[in-house]
Amino acid sequence: MSGVRQITVTPDDADQRLDRWLRRLHPNVGQGRIERMCRKGEIRVDGGRVKPATRLEVGQTVRLPPIPDDDAPAPAAPRISDADAEMIRACVLWKDDDIIALAKPPGLAVQGGTGTHRHVDGLAEALRFGREDKPRLVHRLDRDTSGVLLMARSARAAAGLARAFQAREARKIYWAAVAGVPSPRQGTIRTGLVKAPGHGAGGEAEKMLVLPFAEVASTEGAKRATSDYAVIEAAGSRTAWVALSPITGRTHQLRAHMAAIGHPIIGDGKYGGSGQENLGDGWGAQLGGEVSRKLHLHARSLSLVHPTTGRGISFTAPLPEHMARTWSLFGWRPEDAPADPFADEDADLPRRGGR
């Protein structure tokens, strides 16, 4: 049995839910037990009581009580089907001794949680490629967001990539189809974001609420969030293809920001209202007709400095099938888009971006 421990949250663990972080640390501890320890105050963050869905921040101290089954053998990793192994290997965009870059498909969670048993972290067993340990996650994407996802194949690479994301030195460009056409066609969105608790024991359906920048300091749990956007092409006044770049890295930041300016991302039922009709005035998350109801948000590219070689590297993921159909429908050609619509023409390096 372990004694009481005080664990400092590292950049590699930041922005994870407490329950998911603890289950990775102690696979034998079930969700029910985590919830009981939180209710009793046995688990604390910076001395305060917390809920299982609380997201951790860099530098926080997590108090863990003695856990009797620490020495019990961890449950065997579930067997990955041949089809899933083939699927996740087909997602590999790049592989070297330190990094694996994936084109994550929409609908596949990055990590497990309540009721989520098929996810990238679990399927990473099929990405060992001769290594003793499976690659580890260094950042995350929402379940329904597709695109570039990096994994580290060594502890050194994981630490270097985590530092790059924490310091906002990794440049991310997302593509999205949004309701209406933002005006002006290029701009920066600055707001506060605060988490509204979801329903259910595990905090399911949590949502970020937008509030004025000036109210962040006076609102408990609120954080400043900044996103750049640029319209690449438009289909009349009905919808637009936009590039998005998160300068900060908050949960659901791009989705909440686009809805806040009246142009929710197509297919975003959480922030855009799945049942709302799109009349071409910039509201409504569904276009109808041949356009898929799936979320139209894609992590198109990611650029950063390689953690071992020190050289600049960049990865680009092709559009998922449902977005490719929408692009074809409106005559939008991916090859016509600039690699970075926000880059300064005279800059040698891309602007810094967030997770």
Side-chain angles (χ1 to χ4, degrees), residues 209-231:
L209 299 180
V210 173
L211 67 157
F213 217 58
E215 295 180 12
V216 172
S218 59
T219 304
E220 183 178 0
K223 297 179 181 178
R224 290 180 171 83
T226 304
S227 304
D228 286 341
Y229 74 87
V231 175

Side-chain angles (χ1 to χ4, degrees), residues 16-258:
Q16 292 190 59
R17 284 172 48 134
L18 173 64
D19 51 0
R20 295 173 185 172
W21 171 82
L22 183 53
R23 283 202 302 274
R24 292 188 67 189
L25 194 63
H26 295 284
N28 296 303
V29 178
Q31 181 69 22
R33 186 174 178 189
I34 294 173
E35 291 168 7
R36 288 194 298 273
M37 288 190 291
C38 287
R39 284 197 303 270
K40 294 179 179 179
E42 294 174 342
I43 298 177
R44 292 176 178 262
V45 174
D46 286 345
R49 289 176 176 265
V50 287
K51 295 181 179 180
T54 298
R55 290 192 180 273
L56 301 175
E57 299 179 11
V58 174
Q60 288 182 324
T61 299
V62 182
R63 177 202 184 273
L64 294 181
I67 298 180
D69 60 354
D70 272 354
D71 297 328
R79 182 183 179 278
I80 300 173
S81 69
D82 291 342
D84 275 346
E86 182 179 356
M87 179 278 295
I88 198 67
R89 288 171 186 153
C91 294
V92 175
L93 296 169
W94 167 271
K95 173 173 65 70
D96 63 21
D97 289 341
D98 300 287
I99 295 174
I100 290 178
L102 301 177
K104 187 190 85 68
L108 179 63
V110 171
Q111 291 178 294
T114 305
T116 301
H117 306 291
R118 182 174 179 268
H119 46 83
V120 174
D121 194 34
L123 297 178
E125 293 288 340
L127 298 175
R128 292 176 183 266
F129 298 113
R131 291 289 181 87
E132 181 178 348
D133 298 323
K134 69 177 185 179
R136 66 191 77 182
L137 296 165
V138 292
H139 67 118
R140 287 165 290 281
L141 293 174
D142 288 349
R143 177 198 297 267
D144 295 324
T145 301
S146 58
V148 180
L149 181 73
L150 293 190
M151 304 188 79
R153 303 189 72 196
S154 66
R156 178 182 177 186
L161 292 171
R163 285 193 296 269
F165 283 111
Q166 182 63 27
R168 302 175 187 168
E169 294 170 348
R171 178 65 167 161
K172 280 191 173 183
I173 303 295
Y174 288 73
W175 282 0
V178 304
V181 183
S183 180
R185 293 173 71 97
Q186 182 166 341
T188 298
I189 306 167
R190 296 183 178 89
T191 74
L193 289 176
V194 63
K195 183 176 68 176
H199 59 75
E204 296 85 358
E206 64 185 15
K207 184 175 180 178
M208 303 304 290
L209 299 180
V210 173
L211 67 157
F213 217 58
E215 295 180 12
V216 172
S218 59
T219 304
E220 183 178 0
K223 297 179 181 178
R224 290 180 171 83
T226 304
S227 304
D228 286 341
Y229 74 87
V231 175
I232 297 177
E233 289 195 37
S237 62
R238 190 87 183 279
T239 185
W241 165 16
V242 300
L244 302 167
S245 181
I247 305 307
T248 52
R250 312 306 182 197
T251 302
H252 296 176
Q253 176 176 313
L254 298 177
R255 297 166 62 183
H257 269 174
M258 293 312 295

Side-chain angles (χ1 to χ4, degrees), residues 270-282:
K270 181 184 289 284
Y271 291 95
S274 59
Q276 294 182 358
E277 182 182 5
N278 183 299
L279 300 176
D281 57 358

